[in-house]
Amino acid sequence: MTAVPASITDGRALVDAAMRASAERLDPWTRRVVAYHLGWTDEHGRPAAAGGKALRPALALLSARAAATPQETALPGAVAVEFVHAFSLLHDDIMDGDRTRRHRPAAWTVFGPSAAILGGDALLALSEELLLDEQTRGAHWAARALTAATQRLISGQAFDLGFEQRGDVTLDECLTMAADKTGALLACACSIGAMLGEGPTRLVTALAEFGAEMGLAFQLVDDLLGIWGSPGTTGKPVLSDLRARKKSLPAVYALTAGTAESDRLAELYAAPEPPSEDDLREMARLVEAAGGRDWAAAEADRRVASAEKHLADSGMDDAVRAEFRDVARFVTSRDH
Amino acid sequence: MTAVPASITDGRALVDAAMRASAERLDPWTRRVVAYHLGWTDEHGRPAAAGGKALRPALALLSARAAATPQETALPGAVAVEFVHAFSLLHDDIMDGDRTRRHRPAAWTVFGPSAAILGGDALLALSEELLLDEQTRGAHWAARALTAATQRLISGQAFDLGFEQRGDVTLDECLTMAADKTGALLACACSIGAMLGEGPTRLVTALAEFGAEMGLAFQLVDDLLGIWGSPGTTGKPVLSDLRARKKSLPAVYALTAGTAESDRLAELYAAPEPPSEDDLREMARLVEAAGGRDWAAAEADRRVASAEKHLADSGMDDAVRAEFRDVARFVTSRDH
């Protein structure tokens, strides 16, 4: 198990307090849903100790330091990015019919779809409000970047839903979708602190490109774990992405590889009945035999290397650069 | 039938063109849902001639003129407000299970709930983006006002959903809910052009208060039509709000009036089985006998008078003031 980098753990208390203070602005009914979704409370509103690893806020804080400003400068951005992330998960779980999130029942299964829709809406509006309240040039820059990232996030989810109904998804389409759905918000997280700190454009661009590449690597690893990850760490059933016949990156690589295994895999993806346990094991073997597993692992490594190259070009302090690098390696490691 | 004031029809082409241009920014999949919802296309993507009366954009244009700036100044605000309105209708129809909108199938019944959730999300993000793109002090003011109005809109819908599960809703709660759900965005529409035109705070405040009062009057009239309106004009079945046992303003007035009719009405509202046609007619009679109909009509008139008083205090040009007054009287007239 790769150790969680200090950059992720150190700012957590700071961000957590800011998130809770911001959530006070929500009406009590919506706040209840949001507090559960963020892991602050259980189904009955009692305090809980769950919650995600808050990767995006940690990156936001780090990016303020990259611009040689205190990490506190990034706080509204850190909270806003995490709220946009939470908004998208709340809505995606309804759309995807996912009943479990971070080892707990998804919010929509506890409070109903209407409450989860509204909770997401409220988080999206609140995230904008937090940045607009700042009234600085940097905050305006950050607000525009966050809105653009949100649009790409939504567009990525739209394409992802469209993929489910199509048998001819290309690897390029799949990569574009992942860049929109996962890369755009991570790019924003990695650069929003530098925007709030009004750092140089060159730095902000380099950080955004770092985040975009890391985001793709992260998605590739997530897709590998969606097939070969253990349920204990992913919180999902074994072979879950194949069970849902998801057009994940390794699967689409295999489906479009033009091998005999590709044809058989396409057959199993198109079958009218849900796959049996035997089918699932065969599908995993086919993805691997058609080169999907190796390609995804190698592509993730290439993306991490490319991300680190952007860091090197950014002109930032070496110590902060090392922290960014450690986070990228941590979130794309395949042993957790 | 009260004639549609020229203020509503005159700017329609201008706003329509700006809305269509802005919607080009959406990905094709989401744009299809939005184009249908806004009445630009039919279920098959063919051009259609439907669409709402675009009341909010008309008010936005008018408010730029109130600040003695060209109505074009208000365009990004006019489009943004209408997109927020469209976002809320897209999501509300899913939550409320409403299958019909403006005499057509609601978007979620045509494209599915996921597409309608995403379409709403995209419109909300786009509305913010339009104002942030302007990069003026006035646009920042407008963006903050719109985000605050959106938060109230969401909070109003949350309370409205909560009302369905409660038997003890007070008239005050109901008025607060209507102020949030209907008043806040109309207040924003009436003042956003003046914000974009960087008009005096006194004017902006007066316009927002005018809009808030008009919004409540509008809701009261809408609630009266929800019980006594004809299906031909409302586009809903006769007595539809009673059929859904909605906690509308006249109904809550009657339920909390402390009369014998109130008790009987509460009984029918709490009955486990859906109301029969006889029950519905009795419920309408009870709301009227308990004073709900008269109170709502008188309260709507009081709110219109109060709205007009705010206009008088605003210091704006008499001709623009007369146009605002005509719009308020039109949207709160009970003969359409």
Side-chain angles (χ1 to χ4, degrees), chain A residues 6-330:
Chain A
S7 321
I8 294 188
T9 45
D10 286 356
R12 203 176 278 170
L14 187 69
V15 171
D16 191 65
M19 282 175 69
R20 287 171 191 260
S22 301
E24 289 295 315
R25 299 193 192 187
L26 300 170
D27 67 82
W29 203 77
T30 311
R31 192 165 59 229
R32 205 170 51 110
V33 179
V34 165
Y36 172 80
H37 177 64
L38 291 171
W40 299 339
T41 53
D42 68 10
E43 294 93 317
H44 310 288
R46 293 177 301 221
K53 57 186 170 308
L55 165 66
R56 289 160 192 79
L59 290 164
L61 297 189
L62 209 45
S63 85
R65 288 173 51 211
T69 51
Q71 63 177 3
E72 284 75 9
T73 314
L75 261 185
V79 174
V81 163
E82 190 68 358
F83 280 175
V84 168
H85 180 55
F87 136 79
S88 77
L89 298 181
L90 267 169
H91 283 191
D92 285 2
D93 282 347
I94 305 171
M95 296 184 226
D96 301 338
D98 284 339
R99 305 189 64 86
T100 304
R101 159 80 47 202
R102 289 177 189 144
H103 308 273
R104 302 195 308 164
W108 70 272
T109 69
V110 177
F111 302 98
S114 296
I117 292 173
L118 273 180
D121 293 347
L123 283 173
L124 182 53
L126 181 54
S127 68
E128 279 302 320
E129 196 172 56
L130 292 174
L131 291 171
L132 290 171
D133 279 0
E134 293 296 302
Q135 314 221 43
T136 61
R137 202 178 61 86
H140 188 267
W141 191 4
R144 291 190 77 187
L146 183 61
T147 308
T150 306
Q151 295 277 29
R152 289 187 59 198
L153 190 68
I154 293 166
S155 159
Q157 170 70 0
F159 278 106
D160 201 10
L161 290 175
F163 284 178
E164 285 174 22
Q165 288 137 36
R166 288 175 46 197
D168 60 347
V169 176
T170 68
L171 189 59
D172 266 356
E173 287 180 316
C174 213
L175 284 165
T176 302
M177 187 275 284
D180 284 346
K181 194 169 165 176
T182 309
L185 193 63
L186 275 169
C188 185
C190 288
S191 53
I192 201 164
M195 291 183 229
L196 282 156
E198 302 184 14
T201 306
R202 178 190 159 207
L203 172 69
V204 169
T205 306
L207 286 170
E209 285 175 352
F210 163 78
E213 291 289 45
M214 181 180 70
L216 263 177
F218 177 76
Q219 189 58 58
L220 284 154
V221 170
D222 200 55
D223 283 357
L224 285 168
L225 295 173
I227 300 178
W228 293 282
S230 78
T233 50
T234 63
K236 296 176 186 173
V238 67
L239 302 168
S240 66
D241 281 1
L242 294 176
R243 207 175 288 273
R245 285 185 281 199
K246 213 181 124 184
K247 308 276 186 347
S248 70
L249 286 157
V252 171
Y253 180 93
L255 283 164
T256 58
T259 64
E261 289 90 356
S262 306
D263 295 341
R264 173 66 185 145
L265 186 63
E267 233 174 79
L268 288 164
Y269 258 75
E273 68 281 1
S276 67
E277 297 301 313
D278 276 349
D279 289 341
L280 289 174
R281 279 186 293 271
E282 186 186 354
M283 287 163 86
R285 270 198 312 273
L286 291 166
V287 174
E288 188 157 1
R293 187 175 192 171
D294 285 346
W295 168 80
E299 184 67 21
D301 291 341
R302 278 191 294 273
R303 297 286 178 169
V304 173
S306 165
E308 290 184 15
K309 190 164 175 327
H310 285 296
L311 281 188
D313 295 343
S314 68
M316 82 177 77
D317 177 82
D318 279 350
V320 180
R321 198 172 95 189
E323 290 193 51
F324 266 119
R325 188 201 56 209
D326 289 348
V327 174
R329 290 185 184 175
F330 169 69

Side-chain angles (χ1 to χ4, degrees), chain B residues 262-276:
Chain B
S262 307
D263 295 341
R264 172 67 185 142
L265 185 63
E267 232 174 81
L268 289 164
Y269 258 76
E273 67 281 2
S276 67

Side-chain angles (χ1 to χ4, degrees), chain B residues 249-300:
Chain B
L249 286 158
V252 171
Y253 180 93
L255 282 164
T256 58
T259 65
E261 290 90 355
S262 307
D263 295 341
R264 172 67 185 142
L265 185 63
E267 232 174 81
L268 289 164
Y269 258 76
E273 67 281 2
S276 67
E277 297 302 312
D278 276 349
D279 288 342
L280 289 174
R281 279 185 294 270
E282 186 186 353
M283 287 163 85
R285 271 197 313 273
L286 290 166
V287 174
E288 189 158 359
R293 186 174 194 172
D294 286 346
W295 169 80
E299 184 67 20

Side-chain angles (χ1 to χ4, degrees), chain A residues 91 121 126 133 135 144, chain B residues 91 121 126 133 135 144 151:
Chain A
H91 283 191
D121 293 347
L126 181 54
D133 279 0
Q135 314 221 43
R144 291 190 77 187
Chain B
H91 283 191
D121 293 347
L126 181 54
D133 279 0
Q135 315 221 42
R144 291 190 79 189
Q151 295 277 30

Side-chain angles (χ1 to χ4, degrees), chain B residues 4 8 12 51-58 82 102 218 330-331 336:
Chain B
V4 181
I8 295 189
R12 204 176 277 171
K53 57 185 171 309
L55 165 66
R56 288 161 192 79
E82 191 67 0
R102 289 177 189 146
F218 178 76
F330 169 69
V331 299
H336 65 115

